[in-house]
Amino acid sequence: MTDGRCPVAHDDPVPHDVAHDGPATPHRLEPDDQHAVNAGLRARGAAVPVLLPGDVPAYAVTRHEELKGFLAHPDVAKNARHFAALQSGGIPAGWPMLTFATVPGMTTADGDDHKRLRSLVTRAFTPRRMEALRPVVHELTGTLLDRLAEAADADPDGVADLRRHFALPLPMSVISQLLGVDAAHQDRLHELSNEIVSTATAPERVPAANREMVAILGQVAAARMKDPGDDLTSALIATRAEDGDRLSEEELIGTLMLTIIAGHETTLNLITNAVRALCNHRDQLELVRSGAASWDDVVEETLRYDSPVSYFPFRYPTRDLPVGDAVIPKGAPVLVSYTAAGRDEREYGADADRFVVTRAARHLSFGHGAHFCLGAPLARMEAVIALEALFTRFPGLDLAVPDDELVPHRSFVGNSPQKLPITLR
């Protein structure tokens, strides 16, 4: 991306609620039908003003080319010291999105500090450690497929919620085993993760959810300090840089929080969205079964077509920054919209709204640049193993309700239905 301006396309389909906004009227982000809204926001420009909970003004970057440039721009920061409204006291108490801005760790660090933290985490987050989880994922998948069948058999209509019985416990169990988290903590950590990620959480619950998650992860860290094991938490505690630097206790807890949330919420949504897409596009499923496409292709097209993360917070321009036809003011909080960019007609053509497993198009759903997701290989591995085993075991699997009856998750950060009712035969 250059600092020049790009022309605005005016012929995109514009949903009714967005079309009636004036050119400078911010769109209020809601956990809604994101793809319909995204089309209208892309039509307004590459960077559009939005309103966050608490009427906090922000911007969203919605087009692929400009988003790719923005993610790697040297004048875009992640540290909340650049968040003008937060620094001036303009953010309301208990703001539900505050954790995204202030959690200590790689996602809120810049420059040398980010390099230091990423280097320390990368030393522990090794390819060998990830590959060692492959048999674990296979074993868990088999166990959960049995439980999914039992849940469907127990229902009079043969219906089971794929999210609850399969897409959630698989990545939650894997990430917990990776971190050395006891099974007793897993359900509660998922509940707290949901509260933190949700953009509809009541203000009084936000600090309480954060405190409880920090307390649980503090117990995990203390247990691993006392009795180290072959897990990522123990490795993070033990890892030092060549100069003797290591993660502080606050950075360790922040890293564990990030890993728990991103390590299961993203994969949960990815598996759910892939199953939904395949059930709605049986011709694409047949391409995989015939060998004309692979399960890797399914995962990559799902990441583009229905990204598990939609509007991800936050980045801040360190100067007034032109993006497309707009200028984002210095210090404004910016969300990057992976769901909007994933269906940008300028990048993917007139059929950008179609799920095409042979498309082989690149996407930005794991980020780009210095903050590219470290856990991407693990998420891809889990999704490929899960989808192949699921549709091999249950070739007649289908949605139990019409697609338009699926209710979106209560967040515009995460992107997935709250439930995915399916039948297995």
Side-chain angles (χ1 to χ4, degrees):
M1 182 182 74
T2 67
D3 283 344
R5 301 184 179 223
C6 300
V8 183
H10 293 286
D11 56 352
D12 302 88
V14 183
H16 179 80
D17 64 326
V18 178
H20 285 270
D21 289 344
T25 303
H27 172 75
R28 186 180 299 279
L29 286 179
E30 301 281 1
D32 204 346
D33 183 353
Q34 296 182 11
H35 292 297
V37 170
N38 288 344
L41 295 181
R42 282 195 305 269
R44 290 180 56 174
V48 294
V50 295
L51 274 182
L52 304 180
D55 290 336
V56 174
Y59 278 77
V61 181
T62 62
R63 296 181 184 172
H64 178 95
E65 180 181 357
E66 289 85 353
L67 177 56
K68 185 176 181 180
F70 183 81
L71 289 171
H73 201 289
D75 295 323
V76 174
K78 292 276 281 178
N79 193 297
R81 67 186 180 87
H82 298 283
F83 188 171
L86 180 63
Q87 298 305 318
S88 66
I91 299 300
W95 190 48
M97 303 193 74
L98 190 60
T99 299
F100 291 105
T102 58
V103 61
M106 290 186 299
T107 59
T108 54
D110 296 312
D112 291 341
D113 192 32
H114 174 258
K115 290 178 183 177
R116 176 185 71 86
L117 291 170
R118 191 173 179 100
S119 174
L120 289 170
V121 174
T122 301
R123 288 167 184 260
F125 212 79
T126 62
R128 179 197 64 79
R129 193 180 298 278
M130 297 304 101
E131 189 58 30
L133 288 169
R134 186 176 295 275
V136 174
V137 176
H138 277 288
E139 182 179 356
L140 278 169
T141 297
T143 299
L144 292 171
L145 290 178
D146 291 341
R147 294 180 185 173
L148 182 64
E150 291 168 2
D153 289 341
D155 183 82
D157 299 316
V159 175
D161 179 8
L162 184 117
R163 276 181 68 91
R164 175 186 174 189
H165 296 290
F166 185 69
L168 165 61
L170 177 61
M172 191 70 206
S173 297
V174 171
I175 204 68
S176 295
Q177 182 156 332
L178 175 66
L179 293 176
V181 174
D182 292 339
H185 292 311
Q186 292 182 21
D187 287 347
R188 187 55 182 155
L189 285 173
H190 172 65
E191 292 168 358
L192 294 169
S193 174
N194 264 344
E195 285 197 83
I196 292 169
V197 170
S198 174
T199 50
T201 301
E204 62 273 13
R205 274 298 308 158
V206 177
N210 276 280
R211 284 194 300 269
E212 187 176 351
M213 180 170 268
V214 167
I216 293 173
L217 295 177
Q219 293 174 28
V220 172
R224 298 286 73 81
M225 287 178 186
K226 182 178 180 181
D227 183 21
D230 186 22
D231 55 75
L232 184 61
T233 303
S234 299
L236 288 170
I237 292 168
T239 297
R240 293 177 183 269
E242 292 180 0
D243 61 1
D245 190 20
R246 68 189 304 169
L247 293 172
S248 68
E249 183 176 354
E250 187 180 48
E251 290 167 343
L252 173 64
I253 298 301
T255 299
L256 295 180
M257 181 182 291
L258 165 67
T259 307
I260 283 283
I261 295 175
H264 90 278
E265 292 278 357
T266 301
T267 309
L268 158 62
N269 291 347
L270 173 57
I271 294 171
T272 302
N273 293 355
V275 173
R276 179 184 186 180
L278 289 168
C279 288
N280 286 321
H281 301 82
R282 308 300 293 193
D283 60 325
Q284 300 302 303
L285 178 57
E286 288 308 312
L287 288 176
V288 182
R289 286 176 169 155
S290 70
S294 69
W295 290 106
D296 295 275
D297 295 329
V298 170
V299 169
E300 297 310 309
E301 178 65 351
T302 303
L303 287 163
R304 179 204 70 83
Y305 172 80
D306 206 10
S307 173
V309 177
S310 190
Y311 288 83
F312 191 76
F314 289 115
R315 285 169 168 81
Y316 320 95
T318 57
R319 62 176 176 87
D320 291 352
L321 187 66
V323 177
D325 66 322
V327 177
I328 304 178
K330 174 183 177 180
V334 180
L335 298 93
V336 297
S337 181
Y338 297 123
T339 50
R343 297 197 186 185
D344 185 357
E345 301 88 343
R346 297 157 192 80
E347 179 68 19
Y348 302 110
D351 68 344
D353 276 327
R354 290 186 59 226
F355 182 73
V356 182
V357 295
T358 54
R359 187 184 298 272
R362 292 184 175 272
H363 58 79
L364 298 169
S365 289
F366 285 123
H368 177 68
H371 287 273
F372 184 83
C373 177
L374 272 176
L378 179 58
R380 285 177 162 126
M381 179 180 74
E382 289 182 70
V384 167
I385 292 172
L387 293 169
E388 182 174 13
L390 178 67
F391 282 96
T392 299
R393 172 91 175 261
F394 306 114
L397 185 150
D398 207 350
L399 296 183
V401 299
D403 185 78
D404 59 8
E405 292 184 11
L406 297 175
V407 179
H409 195 64
R410 293 289 296 161
S411 173
F412 52 75
V413 177
N415 172 47
S416 192
Q418 294 181 25
K419 297 180 180 180
L420 194 70
I422 50 95
T423 56
L424 301 179
R425 298 176 182 86

